[in-house]
């Protein structure tokens, strides 16, 4: 009996020693796998910005402001036309922005053929890059979630906060509602801007009335977008946007309306009732609507993102709050892009 007990004791000790020797490396291996898994790695934040001829300094200032105010792992997708790409690449690589992670993406304007109705009142709104936001899933392949920003913005907050915006199930995008911030309403009224669908769609047209959208419905601004690429593709939203572009060519549904929103109007139709909300402080707008209307200094300091939408851009003259924008501007090493100032 004693010999049997001794044998069992020896076998038990051997089993314990075997487990310690052979199982420990396996546990360490699992830990290493966990550390390297996508869940543990720092998430990449893709930010899409267009670099148009004549306003590349805008894209540079926007990128500079984002990069300087975050520790997040940002990957910039800089979208341009073929003839402008060498300029923006040289600007980045020969400035302090050479440390950023970026990819230059060429946009082919031929995808817009037959889809844009000419509008002499605001020809700048017909520039091909204004429609890049319609084609995000075709330009950005590997990301589930993407931020799109107009070039005439600067970011004063941490872009990670904007990226963390929650999208409701079934929503492909989040926008800023034009009625969301009472402090901007006075600015809107003072410059005659519209914040309802009436300002963007021509309700005299049967096709617009058939949508069943009240003209007093609050509009949204697509200059800042947080988008879910999987949901966007699933709902075939690019095709829907193109459909309304083509209908406008045929029926003039919105191009001559007060809002002048040749890129905004299709989005108002397609995303009506199907978008999530961005924190209002992450899209303070209308800074480019008037050369005279100003926000309070305290309000601007609290803002996370400033948008000079409208005719009066901060790199031109006249414009307002240009000092906030110039904080992030980096001069063009080639000297091609110059600021317009009263004494220039």
């Amino acid at each position: 009996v004693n010999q049997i007990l001794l044998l069992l004791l020896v076998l038990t000790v051997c089993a314990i020693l075997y487990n310690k020797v052979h199982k420990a490396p396996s546990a360490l291996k699992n830990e290493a796998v966990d550390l390297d898994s996508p869940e543990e790695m720092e998430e990449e934040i893709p930010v899409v910005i267009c670099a148009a001829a004549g306003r590349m300094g805008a894209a540079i200032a926007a990128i500079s402001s984002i990069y300087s105010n975050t520790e997040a792992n940002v990957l910039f997708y800089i979208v341009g036309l073929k003839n402008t790409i060498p300029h923006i690449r040289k600007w980045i690589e020969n400035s302090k922005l050479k440390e950023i992670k970026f990819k230059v993406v060429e946009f082919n304007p031929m995808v817009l053929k037959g889809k844009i109705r000419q509008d002499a009142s605001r020809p700048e709104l017909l520039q091909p890059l204004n429609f890049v936001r319609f084609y995000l899933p075709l330009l950005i392949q590997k990301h589930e979630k993407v931020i799109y920003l107009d070039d005439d913005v600067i970011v004063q907050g941490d872009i990670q906060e904007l990226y963390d915006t929650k999208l409701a199930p079934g929503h492909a995008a989040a926008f800023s509602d034009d009625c969301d911030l009472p402090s901007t309403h006075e600015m809107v009224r003072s410059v005659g801007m519209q914040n309802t669908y009436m300002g963007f769609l021509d309700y005299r047209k049967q096709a617009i009335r058939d949508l069943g959208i009240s003209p007093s419905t609050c509009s949204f601004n697509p200059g800042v977008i947080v988008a879910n690429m999987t949901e966007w593709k699933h709902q075939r939203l690019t095709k829907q946007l193109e459909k309304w572009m083509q209908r406008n060519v045929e029926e003039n549904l919105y191009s001559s309306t007060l809002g002048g929103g040749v890129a905004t109007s299709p989005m108002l139709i397609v995303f009506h009732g199907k978008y999530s909300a961005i924190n209002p402080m992450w899209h303070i707008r209308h800074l480019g609507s008037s050369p005279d209307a100003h926000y309070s200094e305290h309000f601007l300091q609290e803002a996370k993102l400033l948008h000079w939408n409208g005719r009066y851009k901060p790199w031109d003259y006249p414009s307002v709050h240009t000092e906030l924008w110039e904080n992030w501007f980096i001069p063009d090493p080639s000297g091609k892009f110059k600021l317009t100032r009263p004494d220039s």
Side-chain angles (χ1 to χ4, degrees):
V1 172
N2 289 339
Q3 288 178 339
I4 292 172
L5 290 174
L6 180 61
L7 178 61
L8 289 172
L9 179 61
V10 170
L11 289 172
T12 301
V13 171
C14 289
I16 293 172
L17 290 174
Y18 178 87
N19 283 333
K20 284 190 175 183
V21 171
H22 293 278
K23 295 295 184 182
S26 177
L28 289 174
K29 183 178 180 181
N30 287 338
E31 286 178 10
V33 169
D34 289 340
L35 288 172
D36 291 336
S37 68
E39 289 76 17
E40 295 295 330
M41 292 173 66
E42 185 180 10
E43 189 171 9
E44 200 168 59
I45 298 179
V47 176
V48 179
I49 296 179
C50 296
R55 48 192 291 164
M56 286 190 191
I60 290 292
I63 292 168
S64 172
S65 68
I66 295 166
Y67 181 65
S68 301
N69 287 306
T70 188
E71 296 295 325
N73 181 21
V74 180
L75 172 59
F76 293 98
Y77 283 87
I78 303 168
V79 186
L81 302 181
K82 186 175 183 179
N83 61 341
T84 63
I85 285 175
H87 186 187
I88 194 71
R89 186 184 293 279
K90 182 178 179 181
W91 198 332
I92 290 171
E93 292 176 348
N94 289 277
S95 72
K96 64 181 182 181
L97 292 180
K98 61 178 178 282
E99 302 298 328
I100 69 170
K101 291 172 59 179
F102 74 99
K103 293 182 179 180
V104 175
V105 180
E106 180 183 342
F107 182 69
N108 184 358
M110 289 304 294
V111 300
L112 302 173
K113 188 175 181 180
K115 302 183 182 75
I116 301 176
R117 183 184 182 89
Q118 296 303 311
D119 188 348
S121 64
R122 294 292 300 277
E124 74 276 12
L125 296 175
L126 302 177
Q127 295 301 316
L129 295 181
N130 282 339
F131 301 92
V132 161
R133 70 198 92 190
F134 290 14
Y135 297 94
L136 291 176
L138 303 180
L139 296 168
I140 313 302
Q141 300 290 338
K142 69 171 187 172
H143 301 282
E144 171 79 7
K145 196 175 186 182
V146 171
I147 293 173
Y148 167 88
L149 299 177
D150 276 355
D151 60 0
D152 52 355
V153 308
I154 61 162
V155 174
Q156 301 184 137
D158 187 340
I159 199 71
Q160 179 75 56
E161 186 180 328
L162 179 61
Y163 185 76
D164 290 340
T165 299
K166 300 296 184 185
L167 273 65
H171 287 178
F175 304 102
S176 292
D177 193 282
D178 282 331
C179 303
D180 61 8
L181 205 58
S183 50
T184 66
H185 293 175
E186 184 178 346
M187 169 81 84
V188 171
R189 286 192 297 269
S190 69
V191 298
M193 293 288 289
Q194 292 288 319
N195 60 2
T196 66
Y197 273 56
M198 177 65 85
F200 294 89
L201 305 179
D202 189 348
Y203 276 83
R204 296 171 299 179
K205 302 297 173 66
Q206 188 62 43
I208 297 301
R209 294 198 299 273
D210 287 346
L211 291 169
I213 303 173
S214 169
S216 62
T217 300
C218 193
S219 54
F220 59 81
N221 186 297
V224 176
I225 308 173
V226 181
N228 181 303
M229 295 294 92
T230 300
E231 196 65 46
W232 191 300
K233 287 182 283 190
H234 175 70
Q235 297 182 31
R236 297 172 61 85
L237 294 176
T238 296
K239 288 293 184 185
Q240 293 187 50
L241 291 163
E242 288 185 324
K243 181 191 81 170
W244 283 102
M245 292 169 74
Q246 289 169 330
R247 288 199 66 175
N248 183 57
V249 170
E250 298 162 3
E251 304 174 50
N252 194 20
L253 301 175
Y254 52 75
S255 63
S256 298
T257 54
L258 180 60
V262 288
T264 297
S265 298
M267 301 198 85
L268 291 178
I269 295 171
V270 171
F271 285 95
H272 173 252
K274 295 186 293 186
Y275 65 92
S276 299
I278 288 174
N279 179 334
M281 297 306 289
W282 267 101
H283 196 177
I284 303 304
R285 330 190 255 299
H286 310 305
L287 277 77
S289 299
S290 167
D292 303 310
H294 291 71
Y295 286 118
S296 73
E297 183 177 342
H298 174 73
F299 180 69
L300 293 174
Q301 287 176 347
E302 294 293 316
K304 305 287 188 177
L305 181 148
L306 302 176
H307 187 185
W308 277 263
N309 59 308
R311 296 174 183 265
Y312 303 97
K313 303 302 185 186
W315 55 91
D316 281 335
Y317 179 84
S319 56
V320 298
H321 304 300
T322 54
E323 70 286 351
L324 293 173
W325 183 85
E326 281 193 50
N327 284 339
W328 307 108
F329 175 67
I330 299 171
D332 183 359
S334 73
K336 294 177 184 176
F337 181 93
K338 294 182 174 65
L339 302 182
T340 303
R341 294 295 180 255
D343 54 354
S344 62

